[in-house]
Amino acid sequence: MISTVVGLNWGDEGKGRMVDYLAADADIVGRYHGGSNAGHTIQLDEGRFTLHSLPSSVFRPGVRNVLGPGMTVDLDGLLAEIDLVTRHGVDPSGILLSGNASICFPFHRDLDAHEETRLGRNQYGSTKMGISPAYGDRVMKKTLLVRELFETRQLASRLSAVVEWANVRLEKIYGEPGWDLRDAERWAADVRERIEPYLSDTTAVLTQAEQADASVLAEGQLGALRDIYFGIYPLSTSSICLAAHAPVGLGVPWARVRHTVGVTKAFSSCVGAGPFVTEFDDERAAFLRDRWGEFGATTNRPRRLGHFDAVATCYGVVMQGADEVAVTNLDQLSGTGELKICTGYRIDGRVTPDFTPSVAALSEAEPCYETFAGWDADITGIRTYDNLPKQARAYLEAIEALLRVPVTYVSVGAHRDALVIR
């Protein structure tokens, strides 16, 4: 059985800090989709760390950290992350990379960036880390799996075909230089040597863990509203962000999801293009963004900010099958004055409490709000729910009532211990 930690919104919900906390009781933690296009940030005594490919549990001693076959892996980025955490005391032998994960090549980043440029004003807001073309190539059978780097008899012909397909697009569509096959061969030989210690059959590892009744935690990337099937398409990511996909993406499709923690911020934030119904005006967003440090963990792009959107978050709860919720960043609301929660959308003159992933409908939607008193007290040192200001408790309880799922965790600071557990 697998437990999951997943995002209920657009991403940037604070999943990394929740995975890091819950990993204290886990035997294995695994990433089951996505790649280096999002960053999960954790704050430790040793400093602040942003992880893009490694599970957020990597600083927990004794935990095995799996990168599953559902991922597309930037091997250069992964190796740099491994070097970083190793320098800070992590034993890298606990890092296990599935041979069935697909490779996000350097040229995938180029393709991603060139396509965003081509789209101009209609671009998707990609992080330009190569995720979309890498997943597209996997579906089209035009990339390599990690294990193919070690299948040396076939590697030359396979790599040649992959580079040829990349160059057709780089040269013919975008008018850019292609990738030299000799450079590709040297790159492949270099990363093969360095990645070999981490190569693993994650299906065998997780099967044995399941038989031993070990605790397995799956870490989701981004959130339900960015899911390729149920998110705000096409302004989505290119992988399946939902908890139901965790067994497949980890390599044990017969396993079941036992428990899901859905993560949401105490307000709304979003990186990238598309409709954002509760968005603050530019002046308020700029002021709070600078005060809160709300910039994307991967690109450092300014996050768009807004009031808490219960309509979108309820949709996330349902899509993720969440049975409890973690509300993060509550401390950032201290001293910001009156608070609002969106409880419905007005579309074509009618109010609905139901979310739609339609870009057309969301672009026309107007938020309907309930207003709540704010609080001024610094809450970062509070560790028990009853000690929170009564206004903060009223705000959280309103969120809980709207989501119809218990709010079990409330983060009141960036550090892993700055957490109130109900």
Side-chain angles (χ1 to χ4, degrees):
M1 300 289 276
I2 295 171
S3 297
T4 62
V5 176
V6 290
L8 300 179
N9 305 120
W10 298 263
D12 296 309
E13 299 99 342
K15 295 180 292 297
R17 63 107 63 244
M18 290 307 306
V19 170
D20 170 63
Y21 177 81
L22 295 170
D25 297 320
D27 298 302
I28 296 174
V29 177
R31 286 276 307 276
Y32 62 92
H33 72 108
S36 60
N37 54 320
H40 290 181
T41 302
I42 52 178
Q43 184 75 44
L44 311 176
D45 292 337
E46 296 87 347
R48 180 182 174 92
F49 298 90
T50 300
L51 303 171
H52 301 281
S53 296
L54 289 173
S56 300
S57 54
V58 72
F59 287 100
R60 291 288 186 181
V63 175
R64 287 184 290 173
N65 302 276
V66 167
L67 289 82
M71 293 184 68
T72 182
V73 182
D74 174 348
L75 294 177
D76 294 312
L78 173 60
L79 287 164
E81 277 187 44
I82 293 173
D83 289 344
L84 170 67
V85 300
T86 301
R87 291 198 304 271
H88 287 85
V90 170
D91 178 0
S93 66
I95 297 169
L96 310 176
L97 170 63
S98 171
N100 285 328
S102 57
I103 297 174
C104 183
F105 282 91
F107 62 72
H108 283 130
R109 295 194 292 272
D110 296 335
L111 289 166
D112 203 352
H114 295 323
E115 178 61 11
E116 285 288 275
T117 300
R118 188 191 70 82
L119 289 169
R121 295 176 60 185
N122 297 317
Q123 62 186 242
Y124 300 134
S126 169
T127 58
K128 302 177 184 178
M129 300 304 291
I131 303 304
S132 178
Y135 269 114
D137 281 357
R138 174 148 195 175
V139 173
M140 294 183 69
K141 297 164 285 188
K142 300 289 190 180
T143 190
L144 295 184
L145 305 185
V146 173
R147 61 173 166 78
E148 291 189 272
L149 292 175
F150 301 88
E151 296 170 354
T152 52
R153 289 184 180 178
Q154 290 78 34
L155 179 59
S157 61
R158 289 283 291 121
L159 187 59
S160 176
V162 165
V163 171
E164 180 184 14
W165 172 238
N167 288 347
V168 166
R169 288 170 290 170
L170 287 168
E171 296 169 356
K172 303 298 184 183
I173 298 176
Y174 301 115
E176 298 290 340
W179 216 32
D180 187 276
L181 180 58
R182 290 167 297 182
D183 290 339
E185 290 170 341
R186 284 191 288 268
W187 178 87
D190 175 59
V191 295
R192 177 175 64 235
E193 180 179 351
R194 292 189 292 146
I195 209 72
E196 185 173 13
Y198 312 107
L199 190 66
S200 178
D201 181 347
T202 61
T203 295
V205 170
L206 289 165
T207 298
Q208 292 169 7
E210 186 179 42
Q211 292 169 349
D213 199 28
S215 173
V216 178
L217 183 66
E219 176 178 7
Q221 188 208 55
L222 295 172
L225 306 184
R226 295 298 192 200
D227 181 73
I228 186 64
Y229 289 113
F230 295 96
I232 306 172
Y233 185 87
L235 302 169
S236 63
T237 190
S238 298
S239 64
I240 303 175
C241 303
L242 304 185
H245 184 65
V248 175
L250 287 177
V252 281
W254 59 85
R256 295 183 180 181
V257 175
R258 174 181 58 189
H259 174 59
T260 296
V261 178
V263 186
T264 182
K265 276 180 176 168
F267 51 91
S268 294
S269 72
C270 170
V271 173
F276 188 38
V277 176
T278 67
E279 189 165 15
F280 295 145
D281 61 61
D282 291 344
E283 183 178 357
R284 179 172 173 80
F287 171 75
L288 292 176
R289 185 183 301 118
D290 290 339
R291 174 176 170 176
W292 294 342
E294 285 288 337
F295 297 88
T298 297
T299 61
N300 203 39
R301 289 182 296 177
R303 289 178 181 143
R304 300 162 66 188
L305 303 176
H307 298 289
F308 186 86
D309 190 337
V311 178
T313 310
C314 280
Y315 179 81
V317 166
V318 172
M319 290 295 104
Q320 297 288 20
D323 35 44
E324 62 180 343
V325 168
V327 175
T328 63
N329 299 68
L330 184 70
D331 53 299
Q332 293 181 195
L333 294 180
S334 294
T336 60
E338 188 176 78
L339 304 174
K340 293 181 180 181
I341 295 176
C342 176
T343 58
Y345 292 168
R346 187 182 300 278
I347 303 175
D348 293 332
R350 299 180 62 183
V351 175
T352 177
D354 299 322
F355 182 83
T356 171
S358 162
V359 173
L362 290 174
S363 297
E364 301 295 326
E366 299 177 358
C368 301
Y369 290 119
E370 288 186 17
T371 302
F372 297 82
W375 62 92
D376 294 327
D378 179 358
I379 64 174
T380 56
I382 292 175
R383 296 294 180 268
T384 58
Y385 185 76
D386 289 342
N387 287 338
L388 289 171
K390 64 179 181 180
Q391 299 94 332
R393 284 182 274 129
Y395 183 71
L396 289 168
E397 287 158 19
I399 289 174
E400 183 176 66
L402 288 163
L403 300 186
R404 299 186 292 277
V405 176
V407 172
T408 308
Y409 304 96
V410 181
S411 82
V412 292
H415 195 274
R416 63 164 45 150
D417 295 327
L419 201 64
V420 172
I421 302 173
R422 294 178 69 198

